[in-house]
């Protein structure tokens, strides 16, 4: 990762710094920078009731049939996977989901991508901001672990952009900190850019799609394996375990909501 988040509220206590070194996603949401003095909890957004379908992490079920044009083919469902640096979890989710979509014969119905949230640089979403790992391939350990399961991680890291909130129909965060960072960026962009009013309906936790039948049902977050130094790479395997189940549930949900049929 190369750097730690700078916390506006003051220096990190030693115990929290040690926790962050082990897991860069372990920082509490309350310590993340908040533009405009906003107060955000992943379970409830400002001005939204707890049972609102616009709350991050909650599913909003709809029934939509995709139009088919003789000239352009089927309208695509756009899916974006998001994590902190876009080098471990989200590129893995992208590869796993593409594989499941292809095996279901639905490749022509989807546009699938992944992105990051600065990789630890707190100003990544500002006009002159930048993101760690941008342009880099996925972490070598993640790529090697994914290869053992037949998944090929080919994407290059990029940060989330304002236009992504318009272009994508499903935006999947890997953990609650990812959800908070997306909220912060969207709040900032909304002041100067055209952000769709319904973008909150699109943003959901990846693990919310894990099927009830899965042994991982009840797991809330996909943990960041970046600091995992286990020779067996159990942290990387756990990421893939969770993503395989979550992607299966996500595909099932999208197929039902959009009435997709194999080509």
């Amino acid at each position: 990762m190369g750097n730690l988040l700078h916390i506006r509220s003051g220096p990190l206590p030693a115990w929290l710094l040690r926790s962050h070194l082990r897991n860069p996603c372990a920082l509490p949401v309350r310590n993340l920078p908040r533009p405009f003095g906003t107060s955000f909890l992943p379970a409830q957004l400002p001005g939204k009731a707890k049972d609102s379908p616009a709350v991050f992490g909650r599913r909003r079920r709809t029934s939509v049939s995709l139009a088919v044009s003789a000239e352009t083919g089927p309208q695509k469902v756009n899916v974006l996977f998001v994590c902190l640096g876009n080098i471990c979890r989200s590129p893995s989710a992208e590869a796993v989901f593409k594989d499941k979509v292809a095996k279901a014969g639905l490749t022509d119905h989807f546009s699938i991508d992944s992105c990051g949230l600065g990789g630890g640089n707190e100003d990544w979403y500002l006009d002159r901001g930048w993101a760690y790992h941008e342009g880099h391939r996925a972490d070598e350990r993640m790529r090697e672990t994914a290869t053992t399961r037949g998944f090929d991680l080919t994407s290059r890291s990029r940060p989330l952009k304002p236009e992504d909130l318009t272009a994508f129909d499903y935006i999947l965060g890997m953990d609650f900190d990812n959800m908070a960072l997306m909220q912060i960026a969207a709040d900032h962009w909304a002041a100067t850019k055209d952000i769709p009013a319904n973008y909150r309906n699109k943003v959901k936790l990846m693990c919310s799609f894990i099927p009830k039948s899965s042994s991982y049902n009840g797991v809330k977050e996909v943990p960041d394996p970046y600091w995992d130094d286990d020779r067996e790479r159990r942290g990387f395997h756990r990421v893939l375990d969770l993503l395989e189940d979550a992607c299966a549930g996500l595909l099932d949900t999208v197929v039902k909501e959009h009435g997709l049929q194999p080509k």
Side-chain angles (χ1 to χ4, degrees):
M1 302 293 288
N3 197 10
L4 300 178
L5 283 171
H6 171 71
I7 306 302
R8 296 182 189 276
S9 58
L12 290 174
W15 67 268
L16 184 55
L17 180 58
R18 288 194 298 270
S19 174
H20 182 60
L21 286 173
R22 291 193 299 270
N23 179 3
C25 285
L27 286 174
V29 170
R30 64 178 179 274
N31 283 327
L32 292 172
R34 297 187 181 92
F36 317 120
T38 56
S39 176
F40 169 75
L41 292 176
Q44 185 173 0
L45 296 176
K48 298 292 181 181
K50 288 186 177 181
D51 59 352
S52 168
V55 174
F56 279 14
R58 293 182 180 271
R59 299 189 192 184
R60 180 174 180 268
R61 294 192 177 275
T62 57
S63 179
V64 180
S65 296
L66 296 182
V68 178
S69 167
E71 296 181 357
T72 62
Q75 180 181 341
K76 291 183 181 291
V77 179
N78 303 301
V79 180
L80 181 66
F81 299 98
V82 185
C83 70
L84 184 62
N86 193 209
I87 59 171
C88 288
R89 294 169 293 173
S90 57
S92 296
E94 177 186 349
V96 171
F97 193 64
K98 282 181 176 178
D99 180 75
K100 292 189 178 297
V101 166
K103 289 177 178 177
L106 295 169
T107 299
D108 290 343
H109 290 285
F110 284 89
S111 177
I112 304 165
D113 197 3
S114 65
C115 68
L117 301 165
N121 177 33
E122 67 169 19
D123 296 329
W124 64 274
Y125 57 89
L126 302 180
D127 289 341
R128 295 185 179 181
W130 53 273
Y132 286 108
H133 312 301
E134 185 169 2
H136 295 178
R137 296 186 66 189
D139 185 285
E140 182 179 8
R141 298 164 298 170
M142 192 76 253
R143 284 187 280 121
E144 290 177 352
T145 306
T147 298
T148 65
R149 302 194 185 195
F151 303 121
D152 188 15
L153 276 58
T154 60
S155 62
R156 297 274 179 172
S157 176
R158 72 168 181 87
L160 180 73
K161 300 176 181 178
E163 53 266 32
D164 291 330
L165 301 180
T166 298
F168 288 90
D169 306 301
Y170 297 84
I171 303 174
L172 293 309
M174 298 296 133
D175 59 36
F176 288 115
D177 283 356
N178 296 163
M179 305 289 276
L181 286 171
M182 281 191 277
Q183 175 70 59
I184 290 169
D187 285 348
H188 175 78
W189 292 332
T192 58
K193 303 181 187 299
D194 185 18
I195 302 299
N198 70 334
Y199 80 90
R200 290 172 176 168
N201 297 337
K202 306 177 179 184
V203 183
K204 308 175 191 296
L205 272 172
M206 187 73 228
C207 286
S208 68
F209 290 95
I210 293 178
K212 292 182 179 179
S213 59
S214 168
S215 60
Y216 293 107
N217 181 42
V219 175
K220 302 298 183 184
E221 301 177 295
V222 180
D224 192 339
Y226 186 83
W227 299 104
D228 183 6
D229 57 1
D230 180 4
R231 290 184 179 181
E232 301 298 324
R233 297 184 179 171
R234 282 173 285 194
F236 293 90
H237 280 290
R238 179 172 174 78
V239 166
L240 291 171
D241 288 341
L242 290 167
L243 291 178
E244 287 198 60
D245 283 7
C247 283
L250 173 62
L251 180 57
D252 182 62
T253 297
V254 176
V255 166
K256 291 177 180 177
E257 290 183 349
H258 294 274
L260 301 182
Q261 296 292 332
K263 184 176 178 181

